[in-house]
Amino acid sequence: HVQLVESGGGSVQAGGSLRLSCAASGYRYASYCMAWFRQAPGKEREGVASISTDGIPTYADSVKGRFTISKDNAKTTLYLQMNSLKPEDTASYYCAADFFQYCKTDRLAYWGQGTQVTVS
């Protein structure tokens, strides 16, 4: 079965960096788009970044120039490099995947359990 497992969250001071990882298994990794979402307490879930099956990234305006999404097909792992972190980046971060070329919405079939990022 499909499994997505995030790691790399933690607490960091404003201006710092973190790299999130999402280890994927149980499906044909290269045929699925993947994405990162986040949700802060009391707020709606929002898309952070996505990457298409052919490696084209897209970003939310709020993270452009600071976050970088990438994937390693050989390791079937998705990454989110987060630099210049701000307190408003504090949230639970989730990776997601589905059998689409592009992840254009949050209506994706597979989700990880989330990892907490706290920026103070």
Side-chain angles (χ1 to χ4, degrees):
H1 67 283
V2 175
Q3 190 170 19
L4 301 173
V5 180
E6 302 99 333
S7 61
S11 297
V12 65
Q13 291 189 335
S17 299
L18 284 173
R19 188 175 82 154
L20 305 183
S21 299
C22 174
S25 62
Y27 66 96
R28 187 182 295 179
Y29 181 81
S31 299
Y32 282 55
C33 69
M34 298 194 75
W36 288 99
F37 293 83
R38 67 186 181 187
Q39 187 166 21
K43 295 188 177 181
E44 292 187 357
R45 182 171 61 196
E46 64 170 333
V48 175
S50 67
I51 190 163
S52 69
T53 55
D54 50 0
I56 298 173
T58 60
Y59 298 96
D61 288 343
S62 58
V63 305
K64 279 181 182 176
R66 300 189 298 122
F67 291 10
T68 302
I69 189 170
S70 62
K71 62 177 182 174
D72 185 329
N73 286 345
K75 296 181 179 179
T76 64
T77 300
L78 178 73
Y79 301 101
L80 185 69
Q81 178 67 45
M82 306 186 295
N83 299 328
S84 302
L85 283 161
K86 304 176 180 180
E88 51 263 45
D89 295 319
T90 295
S92 292
Y93 284 71
Y94 301 87
C95 70
D98 209 330
F99 190 56
F100 299 130
Q101 184 177 7
Y102 298 97
C103 289
K104 293 184 177 180
T105 74
D106 64 352
R107 298 177 189 173
L108 303 175
Y110 306 107
W111 291 79
Q113 83 289 349
T115 186
Q116 178 67 32
V117 171
T118 303
V119 185
S120 60

